[in-house]
Amino acid sequence: MTVAQELAIRLKGSPEFLGVTLKQMRGTSTMVKNYPPEYKGILANANAQATAQGRLPFYNILMVRFAHPTALQNAKLAEWLQDRLVPHLDFTPPGSAEPAELLPLAGVYASLLAGDRKKVFDSGPAIASFLAQQEDTPERRLVTVVNHVMVPDDVHGLVEAKVGPLLKVAQNTFEPKSDANGLGQPGSKENLNYRKAFSTEILANTNRYGSLRSYLMHGVWDSVWDHENSHLDPRFQQAFMQVAPYVVSGPSEPFYHTLLLMNRA
């Protein structure tokens, strides 16, 4: 985490820098894989438990945000990855004599849409303003999900036209629908309630991978149960089915918690 803090401090005064977030994987959503509802949340902390027992390394996601590609290029992040981050990624499993290097999977993604509990942002300046003022601090103990999917590159324009309605459903629905606050009630393993997502975002890889293109559906929720119950809502399922036929890899949706957040402001 110290290395990520050093990077954030170095970039803080850079033109068009928006923020740095470091998150650590806890487990995986069962509902995104359409497990039977009785298995809801069963894998939510599986990775954290395995790591504590020495059976898995830590998995982290580092998001470095800029308002413009030129600013990203000027930050020289490729050099930083090799010089400062990769040396920290050696992992030796207990009982193993040879380290297994975990090379970072780096990519440049563009935010297509984002939203919070008040509004959906669909223009570059509005999205940049939203990203420069993230509220997912470690102290709030919110839950992050990052859904990884890949679609054929030759239909990615069509897919991107369909993800907008999906984000709006994911951001605006809640249960019970009659909640007086318009946010929903806390979810649990025993109920189907869930509160609105704290925030949502859809990102597209700016480069294709062979014949495919990858997307990240990045959401922040009050709890694991809120997220899992949202996927059991027929409104969400109907919206996702507009995108599902194009998905050839995934969805894979790990849970994370925030270790570091440093905004531009």
Side-chain angles (χ1 to χ4, degrees):
M1 188 164 75
T2 301
V3 176
Q5 288 175 318
E6 291 173 357
L7 175 68
I9 291 169
R10 173 170 76 82
L11 295 176
K12 199 169 176 66
S14 303
E16 300 193 83
F17 168 70
L18 300 177
V20 169
T21 308
L22 177 65
K23 303 188 178 193
Q24 191 169 84
M25 186 174 169
R26 303 287 302 170
T28 302
S29 169
T30 46
M31 292 303 94
V32 77
K33 289 293 188 182
N34 290 314
Y35 278 37
E38 56 266 29
Y39 293 110
K40 179 176 62 176
I42 197 171
L43 299 178
N45 290 293
N47 283 71
Q49 293 164 355
T51 299
Q53 296 167 3
R55 295 184 290 109
L56 277 181
F58 289 109
Y59 291 100
N60 299 285
I61 183 168
L62 177 66
M63 305 182 82
V64 185
R65 310 286 204 156
F66 289 90
H68 194 275
T70 302
L72 172 62
Q73 294 166 6
N74 292 339
K76 302 185 183 302
L77 290 181
E79 293 91 334
W80 177 83
L81 278 171
Q82 292 302 317
D83 296 342
R84 295 291 293 131
L85 188 60
V86 169
H88 294 276
L89 297 180
D90 284 347
F91 172 70
T92 304
S96 173
E98 297 182 6
E101 187 176 40
L102 302 176
L103 295 177
L105 298 176
V108 178
Y109 285 78
S111 296
L112 304 179
L113 289 166
D116 60 19
R117 283 174 168 168
K118 297 178 181 177
K119 190 174 182 180
V120 171
F121 308 102
D122 58 5
S123 70
I127 293 173
S129 178
F130 165 76
L131 293 175
Q133 301 176 67
Q134 293 295 285
E135 298 182 77
D136 180 25
T137 59
E139 296 77 19
R140 301 192 77 155
R141 304 180 67 85
L142 298 171
V143 173
T144 293
V145 291
V146 183
N147 193 338
H148 306 249
V149 299
M150 300 184 80
V151 307
D153 186 63
D154 59 3
V155 297
H156 82 268
L158 176 61
V159 170
E160 290 176 13
K162 292 179 178 291
V163 295
L166 174 61
L167 179 138
K168 291 175 182 177
V169 170
Q171 185 63 68
N172 292 319
T173 55
F174 53 87
E175 186 65 36
K177 304 178 189 68
S178 59
D179 178 59
N181 296 316
L183 292 178
Q185 295 295 314
S188 76
K189 186 172 179 60
E190 289 72 35
N191 66 35
L192 292 179
N193 294 337
Y194 67 95
R195 291 162 289 193
K196 272 187 180 184
F198 193 82
S199 66
T200 51
E201 179 188 12
I202 295 178
L203 304 96
N205 199 319
T206 56
N207 295 303
R208 67 183 184 181
Y209 183 77
S211 63
L212 303 177
R213 189 172 296 266
S214 57
Y215 290 82
L216 303 178
M217 300 180 185
H218 173 221
V220 178
W221 296 79
D222 283 283
S223 75
V224 162
W225 302 114
D226 286 337
H227 172 267
E228 297 291 75
N229 285 349
S230 76
H231 279 6
L232 294 174
D233 190 315
R235 293 169 293 178
F236 175 85
Q237 292 179 354
Q238 183 178 9
F240 180 69
M241 283 307 297
Q242 303 305 307
V243 177
Y246 303 96
V247 175
V248 296
S249 177
S252 174
E253 194 165 43
F255 289 115
Y256 297 84
H257 65 174
T258 303
L259 297 178
L260 169 71
L261 170 64
M262 187 175 292
N263 290 320
R264 175 184 66 194

